[in-house]
Amino acid sequence: MSEKEVKNLEEIFEARIARDEKIEPKDWMPEKYRQTHIRQMSQHAHSEIVGMLPEGNWITRAPSLRRKAALLAKVQDEAGHGLYLYSACETLGISRDELYEQLHSGKAKYSSIFNYPTVTWADMGAVGWLVDGAAIINQVPLCNTSFGPYARAMVRVCKEESFHQRQGFEIMLTLCRGSEEQKAMAQDALNRWWWPSLMMLGPTDAESIHTEQSMKWKLKRKSNDELRQQFIDQTVPQADLLGLTIPDPDLKFNKETGSYDFGEINWDEFWQVVKGHGPCNKERMSARVNAWNNGEWVRDAAMAHAEKNEKRKVAKAS
Amino acid sequence: MKKNWPLWEIFVRSKNGLEHRHFGSLHAADAEMAMENARDVYTRRNEGVSIWVVESKNITASNPADNGEMFEPAQDKVYRHPTFYDLPDEVKHM
Ligand SMILES: [Fe+2]
Ligand SMILES: [Fe+2]
């Protein structure tokens, strides 16, 4: 294809997106669109499955059968989210194995928040309430993104997320209405998860590189700072309701803007965690790599079994 | 020898009276496993009463590059639509 032809196709392509048309996997697309989508969708998929680890940590120690069933269901949902997103990503011509390989080698990133440890039961409350809460804020606008398979996956994900956040908040509420120790445990969890949750919405607009192109392709509909403000504004009243204190002395309602002003985020910490130096990066990665490697013989055996059955069927029929 | 699990497309009927609709895809070693996984992934909240699993390689899809010759001919056949026909207002029930 000549350069001029490509340029022409690109213009038609951008115009389709501007008209709110969806792009489907077999449609012509600029190489950069394909690569950007593989990167973002796979990063998203990785976050879903690595995100199962900090919560999986508490399934066997949930304080009641009710809590255990809910947590198990939530973690199972996250596995499903990972699957929806990996499948959507694979429609762009990359294999599941390559995607895992990118995660395991550290080439692909996942959300930095999952590199923090879940040390008490209250963390299950804080994670559902704050981490899933921030995820919802990130994900809802993506239900209208331009790439069809991604948008459809996000619609399904968003439908399931609301239970995640509600069960988390309910855990917090129960602790806050319980004994003094239980309430202190909830406060401690909020103290540890608040700032990482704010960071989860991504670097400040000034530092975020891909935004303009991403806006055009509807991979992003609001900037990181806007999303963060939205998260803070909706979460502070919820903390008040719990009777908990947000660990930010500078947090203050601003009558003029109708929003909360907040203190400085420790971006050094954020970049440290992104670069692999968070409290649990190594543990998370080794859990993933071990699961993949130790499961290899099972995957191979299942495949061999399927092939044998298939041969048997063919032999019977002939 | 390493062989990856093939890809399957999953179709779910959400309730009797409705058609099966494409829900997504997943990898599985065989049809039976695809069915089990489809049940776990796509019908955890009563989303379905029936599931079809089809190995993706068995689907023949039209190519978007051919959309012109495939679908454009239908555009100028307005006489296939009821509104193409002029009838007097007095004609009822038609
Ligand atoms: Fe999720
Ligand atoms: Fe979730």
Side-chain angles (χ1 to χ4, degrees), chain A residues 48 78 81 157 161:
Chain A
E48 299 285 353
E78 306 300 4
H81 298 174
V157 166
E161 284 296 348

Side-chain angles (χ1 to χ4, degrees), chain B residues 60-79:
Chain B
T60 307
S62 66
N63 185 344
D66 302 334
N67 275 8
E69 55 189 271
M70 287 282 279
F71 306 116
E72 270 166 28
Q75 280 171 14
D76 57 9
K77 297 188 173 50
V78 279
Y79 47 85

